[in-house]
Each structure stands twice: as structure tokens, then as C-alpha cells.
Amino acid sequence: MDSIVVTGNGPLQGDIPIAGAKNACLALMPATLLSEEPLTLTNAPRLSDIKTMNTLLASLGAEMAVLQDGLVITTASHGEINPVADYDIVRKMRASNLVLGPLLARLGHAVVSLPGGCAIGARPMDIHIEALEALGAEIELKDGYLHAKAPGGLKGAVHKMRFASVGATENMLMAASLAKGTTVIENAAREPEIVDLAQCLRKMGAQIDGEGTSRIEIQGVDRLHGATHPVVTDRIELGTYMLAPAICGGEVECLGGRLELVESFVEKLDAAGVSVEQTDRGLKVSRRNGRIRAVDVVTEPFPGFPTDLQAQMMALLCTAEGTSVLEEKIFENRFMHAPELTRMGANIEVHGGHATVHGVERLKGAPVMATDLRASVSLILAGLAAEGETVVNRVYHLDRGYEHVEAKLQAVGAKIERIKE
Ligand code: EPZ
């Protein structure tokens, strides 16, 4: 397994290009199952999770061409579609569950393995099931698989989600696009990835209003056609790299960054003493004079502070002046980066969903273990300004969500390299 070695190396300077959003792309790709015509996605990120989704869609009968630069994926599902999403693929990536809604809408039946838990939590699918049952689906759990059918086709309905689940909103949005009649999703997730999916479905002929708000209305249509759609900028990669100059000093411009993707995150950076400026190329980030100040953070569904930036923000707050309290309200076990940061000299107390971070002057490099995608990158960020060398092991987690992380950071002056094992 590869590891990444980071050595504290002073202020950063230069540009970091931000890729297309992993979490948008993982919802856009299953939309190809809704139409017999090709769906072409440009600005797709080059990530192992995207390859996994390609493998899953191919197992269902979709054909795709990922052009050599990895930026364009064209998928057509005009042939025979296999309704079974196998455990061996689904267990690798929870987002595989996003084929459930499209398969039900296209075929009227689907057999999709439950993804199983992952490091950050149990991650059940009850909200997805309730949403699709509201559209008339009959779903039962057998041998670890969800067996779903809608013999008479899906029918529009008004449905209020008990929690604004991103994936359940995406599954329901795709299924309702081909249901008979009108669907209203209340308490829908509002993430930019939902907006991106709705805009792509509209290009395919879907009739959708209200995406980005908590009430989305969909008029079902008989069929959807092909389309070409650019994947939206990855706001989590954006926020991650914005923290590099915040932690190291200097000035970095994150190309393609837009303020509206990271508003609540930027509010916290501003309170901590980091300045962010929208330019016509992206977001220019630099640390104002003096030490980073402690701030409190609560993770919430969009537009609140993103749970996917909580670990990275903690890396910044480890050396802030004062004490910060981070409350993780989305996942039940998302502080696994805390003990690893403690190995680097951080002073963190975790009690249930709260982590209290007492700022220290500087962290010290150490061998640390990556446990999940966002925890991995928070350890790299911490290593950028730590004294000495940090070795982050098990970086396969990292490659799921960050393309060429060492090249992007080297380009702005970081001392970072990958050790292939
Ligand atoms: C999406 O996961 C993202 N993944 C996650 O990013 C992100 O952390 C999460 O949304 C929250 O923003 C993708 O988009 C591929 P949820 P998703 O359904 O859809 C519970 C990353 O690092 N829940 O909004 O699975 C669930 O257990 C990943 O890129 C139920 O209880 O998130 C969790 O506690 C990590 N029942 C909470 O809701 C359900 O049926 C949020 O889940 C569904 C979810």
C-alpha cells in the first residue's frame, strides 16, 4: 500500500486547479440508466470511485467510453439492462446505491445489495426505501439485497423526508423523473450536487423545479433523451486546498472555486483569520497576519458547514490560538482523524459527537494512519506545517477522492511525495 511523506516546509504560493465533484459525478453517472441515449459528462474527475461506478454500470449493461484524459465519460444503456447490483461492487462504495432509483424507473424492478457500513457510520438506507415506496415501489430485504419492484410503474407522490439525505434525494429525483404524475420532495437535500443532477436531468428532458431548496417538484415524463453535461466544481476538494495556505501561510488561488459553493466554510475561515477573495479565476486564499484564531464548528446539511470538511478544519484548528469545539451532527463516528492528529502533538478531547481542540504552537511530524477519505487528507494538511516528517499510510482512501494530491501541493511549494509500496 502506498504512503505519502510530507515535510513541514513554510508558506505556499501559486495556483491549485480544482476538479469536477466526485459526489456530483457519482450521482450523474447512474442517470445514464434512465435513457437509451448516451449521456456525456465533461470535467469528470480522475478518481478510483469513478472507476468503481464505471465497473458497476458496466455490470448492469451500460457501455461507456472514458476518453484517454479521463475527463469525459459517455455512457449508453441502450442494450439489455441487468437489474442486479452485486454485493462485491456495492460493498466497495456506498454511492453504488444510487442505481436503485434509476433501475426501478427504467425497468420496474431492481435487486441492489445493501452497501453495508463503513468507517464513519452504519449508513442505513431507510430514507431511500421510504422515498421510493412513496412512489409506489414495493421493497423487501432478502439475503442482504434490496428487492424492489414497481409492477405498474412508479407514480408521483408528495413525500416529506425525515432527514435531508443527499443520496435519498438523488434516488428519488431520478426515479420521479420517469414516474407517472407529479412528485413533491419535502425536506429535500439542498447540496450543489443535487442542483447539478437536476440540471443534467433537465437537459435530458426531465421537468424539475426547486432544486437547491428543500422543496423539489418533478413532473414525470414518458422518456428521457441523451445529453452532455459538465460536472460541477468539487466544493470539498476546493475547501480542502483552501486550508493549505491557511495552515502554512502564503497565498494560493484555487482555480474554478466559487464562493457560493463554500459560503458557510468561508465564514468560519474568516472568523479564524483567513482571507478569501473571489477572483475571475477562482478563490484566492491567504492567512491574515498573526496566528489562526480558534472557532467553533457544527456540521449540518447544506448550506450549513459540510461534514466532509470537518476533519480538514480540525487540522487547521490544532494550532489555533484558543480552544475550538467541533460538533459532528451528520455521522456517528467521524473523528477518527483525532487520535492520529494527537500522535502529531495535537491536544484533542473527543466525547461522543463533540471534539474539543486546545490549540498548540506547532505539530510534530509522525507516522499516522489514514482511516477514511477526508481523515486522510486532514493528516496531509496537518503535516504541511508540522515540524519534521509525517508519513501517512493507507493512502488508497485518499485516491478515492483526490486526484494527484501530491502534484497539486508540490506545485505550490509543499514538500510532499508518494512512496509506492
Ligand atoms: C453523501 O453521502 C456524500 N457521498 C458524503 O460524502 C457526504 O458526507 C454525505 O452525503 C453528507 O453530506 C456522496 O455523495 C457519494 P446522507 P450520503 O444520505 O448520501 C443517515 C465523502 O467523503 N442516513 O445525506 O450517503 C446517514 O447514516 C462522502 O465524499 C440514514 O440514516 O449521505 C448519515 O448519518 C462521505 N438513512 C446521514 O443520514 C438513510 O437512508 C447523512 O447521510 C440515508 C442516510
Side-chain angles (χ1 to χ4, degrees), residues 176-209:
S177 298
L178 288 178
K180 290 184 189 60
T182 305
T183 295
V184 175
I185 309 174
E186 294 177 346
N187 197 25
R190 300 170 54 189
E191 275 69 5
E193 294 75 37
I194 306 276
V195 173
D196 206 36
L197 176 61
Q199 288 172 348
C200 177
L201 291 170
R202 194 175 292 121
K203 286 180 187 171
M204 295 170 73
Q207 293 178 23
I208 300 171
D209 284 306

Side-chain angles (χ1 to χ4, degrees), residues 295-314:
V295 294
D296 293 341
V297 171
V298 181
T299 64
E300 291 171 311
F302 195 87
F305 190 99
T307 175
D308 293 348
L309 284 173
Q310 177 258 108
Q312 299 91 312
M313 189 71 181
M314 189 184 286

Side-chain angles (χ1 to χ4, degrees), residues 222-277:
D222 294 338
R223 60 186 295 282
L224 293 174
H225 48 73
T228 295
H229 181 75
V231 179
V232 68
T233 301
D234 192 323
R235 62 194 170 97
I236 305 303
E237 189 194 29
L238 170 61
T240 301
Y241 287 122
M242 290 171 73
L243 282 164
I247 288 173
C248 299
E251 182 176 89
V252 168
E253 187 152 14
C254 296
L255 306 182
R258 300 199 316 271
L259 264 182
E260 72 265 20
L261 293 172
V262 283
E263 264 171 47
S264 56
F265 173 67
V266 170
E267 279 167 24
K268 290 297 176 184
L269 285 187
D270 181 53
V274 178
S275 67
V276 178
E277 180 200 342

Side-chain angles (χ1 to χ4, degrees), residues 36-223:
E36 297 201 359
E37 297 174 22
L39 171 61
T40 298
L41 300 173
T42 60
N43 193 37
R46 304 168 186 80
L47 301 168
S48 56
D49 270 9
I50 304 304
K51 292 196 184 87
T52 304
M53 183 59 82
N54 268 337
T55 305
L56 173 63
L57 291 174
S59 75
L60 300 178
E63 293 153 26
M64 62 215 55
V66 181
L67 298 197
Q68 69 285 353
D69 61 7
L71 279 176
V72 177
I73 301 172
T74 296
T75 316
S77 50
H78 43 65
E80 197 57 32
I81 296 292
N82 159 28
V84 181
D86 196 87
Y87 174 61
D88 279 348
I89 303 176
V90 175
R91 68 183 172 82
K92 291 192 193 110
M93 183 180 67
R94 176 181 171 80
S96 307
N97 64 17
L98 294 173
V99 300
L100 178 59
L103 283 174
L104 256 181
R106 173 79 178 274
L107 301 177
H109 60 276
V111 179
V112 176
S113 167
L114 273 179
C118 70
I120 61 179
R123 304 185 79 182
M125 281 198 57
D126 58 309
I127 305 173
H128 296 247
I129 293 166
E130 286 158 14
L132 295 171
E133 284 177 339
L135 298 178
E138 294 156 21
I139 302 178
E140 61 167 337
L141 176 61
K142 231 165 41 191
D143 313 325
Y145 282 76
L146 292 177
H147 291 254
K149 55 179 187 290
L154 296 171
K155 292 178 188 57
V158 178
H159 176 69
K160 183 175 173 58
M161 292 198 174
R162 72 171 175 80
F163 173 80
S165 155
V166 172
T169 302
E170 290 163 342
N171 254 328
M172 189 165 195
L173 194 52
M174 289 189 277
S177 298
L178 288 178
K180 290 184 189 60
T182 305
T183 295
V184 175
I185 309 174
E186 294 177 346
N187 197 25
R190 300 170 54 189
E191 275 69 5
E193 294 75 37
I194 306 276
V195 173
D196 206 36
L197 176 61
Q199 288 172 348
C200 177
L201 291 170
R202 194 175 292 121
K203 286 180 187 171
M204 295 170 73
Q207 293 178 23
I208 300 171
D209 284 306
E211 70 274 11
T213 75
S214 52
R215 185 182 186 278
I216 304 176
E217 186 164 325
I218 306 107
Q219 302 295 339
V221 295
D222 294 338
R223 60 186 295 282

